[in-house]
Amino acid sequence: MAVEREVKGGGRGRAPAKPWGGRFSGRTDPRVEAFTQSVSFDRRLAPWDIRGSIAHAEMLGACRIIPRADAKKIVGGLRAILREVERGRFSFDPALEDVHMNIEAALTRRIGPAGGRLHTARSRNDQVATSVRLWLREEIDRIQAALKGLRKALLRQAERGVDWVMPGYTHLQRAQPVTFAHHLLAYGQMFRRDAERLAEARRRVNVLPLGAGALAGTAHPIDRRMVARRLGFAEVAGNSMDAVSDRDFAVEFAATAALAMVHLSRLGEEVVLWASAEFGFVELPDAFSTGSSLMPQKRNPDPAEIVRGKSARVIGDLVALLALLKGLPLTYNRDMQEDKEPLFDAADTLRACLEVMAGLVDAVRPRPERMAQAAEGGYMTATDLADAMVRRGVPFREAHEAAGRAVRLASSRGVPLSELRPADLKKADPRLRAADLGATALARSVASRRSEGGASRASVLRQIRAERKRLDV
Ligand code: ARG
């Protein structure tokens, strides 16, 4: 059966012609059609695809590669299609494979043969790379805004918790006292690095592939810099073969997203722990917890758990993209169509998690009394006792031994270090003095961590000031 050559004039029930139909005389197997189509997921690229096409058509007209009047018609037609897409009125046809061919076919339906000039000097290979980059650039900006929202929420909680002493943990064992603020500001640092990485990734997204054609460039006298300017790209891809086969930018974004998700997941885990009866460092408000269908008493930290769970997907998205690319020879290969879903998923998931986490961080009600209680146990100031001896010239290793013996004695008597008797101290080490016990007070221990970036109040306030400045608040 002859394939339909005309986009227009296809009667009811007849499949629309493929833009690549010229070489073919037989029909596509319906299974192949369903299998190779990407419009079911790449349709979300439509607005960016159209913007790319508008810039391309304007350039073709300006360079007299196509008649200026046709360029104008194309741009007018594309603008009308864009409005349809934005209103949800555009109907996508899977028989037309992908978003690019759907829009081109709609254009020709709308404006006639002039529509057939749009694809001059380009290929879907440079076109799809351009659309994805335009979409991702905007998506990164939205993610940056969400990230900023979370960082501000962390900062607000940190500012409240400057004087709330809590245990700092290693191995999930109480280690040394810190403050709630210091702990939250650690997450502030992680998310600041994520923001930096995103900005860095954006630089490499913001490069124009269009003009690479299928792979070798074009014989038409195009002006790529004009297109780049119109689309806001900072650079023009320097090698046409790389331009159509490069998906590094997608991998880089996914890697950044995966790492940000790992940070979110760790924060989610803290919230889960802190909201447990065992810790009790925060209380979850109703708006950010859910109940159990069986156990009436339950109040579950589901949003935090789901964030933790969703990190797995984004890690998967990154791995999918890496695996997708690893065996591909230059240049474009259809495998690359599979880049979209992981990329979309990574962006959607990250942004949703950032938004929920920002709300959650704002909403948790800290319980400083529970933090203080937990900080009292665990002999977390044993290091301070050792340091007191070090200040008198005792080598740290020996001081460490002595403080360890003091802890052993205190724990066998069931008392804190501060209640050790002079005789006990002497037993632990004759060089230990009663005055050294003052160093074991929690507040004093925290206050003494004055090293740059340490847990002291001054250091925490410095961190807060720096983060305020970075966030412009
Ligand atoms: N839907 C395709 C993709 O996402 C567009 C490019 C198709 N190019 C081609 N030569 N078949 O990769």
Side-chain angles (χ1 to χ4, degrees), residues 268-311:
E269 169 66 5
E270 305 260 16
V271 172
V272 170
L273 285 173
W274 290 350
S276 68
E278 283 70 13
F279 280 78
F281 292 175
V282 300
E283 213 177 280
L284 291 178
D286 287 353
F288 283 87
S289 27
T290 49
S292 156
S293 57
L294 189 144
M295 298 163 283
Q297 86 284 7
K298 286 296 284 291
R299 194 180 170 75
N300 297 327
D302 300 35
E305 295 172 89
I306 293 174
V307 164
R308 201 173 55 187
K310 287 212 186 268
S311 63

Side-chain angles (χ1 to χ4, degrees), residues 142 146 150 288 350-360:
R142 295 173 74 191
L150 173 60
F288 283 87
L350 175 57
R351 191 155 50 78
C353 291
L354 287 168
E355 282 164 4
V356 165
M357 202 47 120
L360 180 60

Side-chain angles (χ1 to χ4, degrees), residues 36 38 41-42 97-100 123-125 128 247 332-340:
T36 56
S38 56
F41 51 87
D42 67 16
E97 237 178 84
D98 58 22
V99 62
H100 319 292
S123 141
R124 272 187 296 154
N125 299 348
V128 65
R247 294 293 182 274
Y332 177 84
N333 298 274
R334 191 63 180 272
D335 317 44
M336 286 170 147
Q337 179 163 294
E338 292 289 312
D339 65 354
K340 313 239 172 359

Side-chain angles (χ1 to χ4, degrees), residues 8 20 56 66 70 86 126 141 172 223-224 241 243 249 295 303 325 328 367 379 400 405 413 429:
K8 279 167 55 162
W20 39 255
H56 180 67
I66 65 173
D70 283 356
E86 282 167 353
D126 54 349
D141 294 343
L172 201 57
D223 184 346
R224 298 186 67 202
M241 294 180 78
F249 69 92
M295 298 163 283
L325 295 169
L328 297 184
R367 299 176 66 194
Y379 301 101
H400 182 283
R405 280 191 295 270
R413 300 204 201 296
D429 192 302

Side-chain angles (χ1 to χ4, degrees), residues 49-221:
D49 190 66
I50 294 171
R51 277 175 218 143
S53 290
I54 290 174
H56 180 67
E58 284 172 342
M59 180 277 291
L60 291 176
C63 297
R64 319 273 167 176
I65 297 167
I66 65 173
R68 297 190 80 128
D70 283 356
K72 268 188 106 163
K73 262 194 183 170
I74 292 173
V75 170
L78 287 171
R79 291 216 170 106
I81 295 171
L82 181 58
R83 281 192 294 275
E84 268 184 34
V85 167
E86 282 167 353
R87 294 196 189 115
R89 295 234 183 89
F90 188 88
S91 77
F92 292 93
D93 181 353
L96 285 166
E97 237 178 84
D98 58 22
V99 62
H100 319 292
M101 299 210 287
N102 265 270
I103 285 163
E104 198 189 321
L107 178 69
T108 300
R109 266 197 312 272
R110 187 178 274 270
I111 68 166
R117 296 195 194 275
L118 170 62
H119 213 53
T120 311
R122 80 171 183 189
S123 141
R124 272 187 296 154
N125 299 348
D126 54 349
Q127 185 183 355
V128 65
T130 304
S131 307
V132 174
R133 283 171 185 266
L134 283 172
W135 166 81
L136 184 56
R137 190 178 68 187
E138 227 174 285
E139 200 54 47
I140 287 176
D141 294 343
R142 295 173 74 191
I143 289 169
Q144 282 285 23
L147 196 49
K148 205 166 176 186
L150 173 60
R151 292 170 68 193
K152 284 181 181 172
L154 283 165
L155 187 60
R156 279 191 289 272
Q157 282 287 12
E159 284 176 325
R160 299 171 62 200
V162 168
D163 294 311
W164 299 341
V165 174
M166 68 179 275
Y169 296 83
T170 62
H171 313 265
L172 201 57
Q173 306 288 321
R174 291 171 188 167
Q176 287 179 339
V178 294
T179 57
F180 193 54
H182 196 52
H183 195 130
L184 293 182
L185 287 164
Y187 281 93
Q189 295 283 345
M190 297 181 219
F191 293 120
R192 171 182 60 81
R193 290 194 295 271
D194 291 330
E196 287 170 4
R197 268 185 287 270
L198 267 178
E200 185 61 26
R202 191 189 190 281
R203 286 204 307 120
R204 278 180 288 278
V205 170
N206 202 20
V207 177
L208 175 78
L210 205 65
L215 78 160
T218 174
H220 297 287

Side-chain angles (χ1 to χ4, degrees), residues 351-418:
R351 191 155 50 78
C353 291
L354 287 168
E355 282 164 4
V356 165
M357 202 47 120
L360 180 60
V361 167
D362 261 329
V364 293
R365 287 191 290 268
R367 299 176 66 194
E369 70 294 348
R370 290 292 305 260
M371 299 176 195
Q373 230 172 39
E376 289 298 340
Y379 301 101
M380 286 195 298
T381 53
T383 316
D384 300 272
L385 189 59
D387 281 340
M389 297 175 73
V390 167
R391 276 193 287 276
R392 283 200 303 277
V394 178
F396 179 74
R397 271 288 148 250
E398 293 171 29
H400 182 283
E401 277 278 325
R405 280 191 295 270
V407 167
R408 184 141 47 91
L409 278 165
S411 124
S412 71
R413 300 204 201 296
V415 298
L417 283 172
S418 58

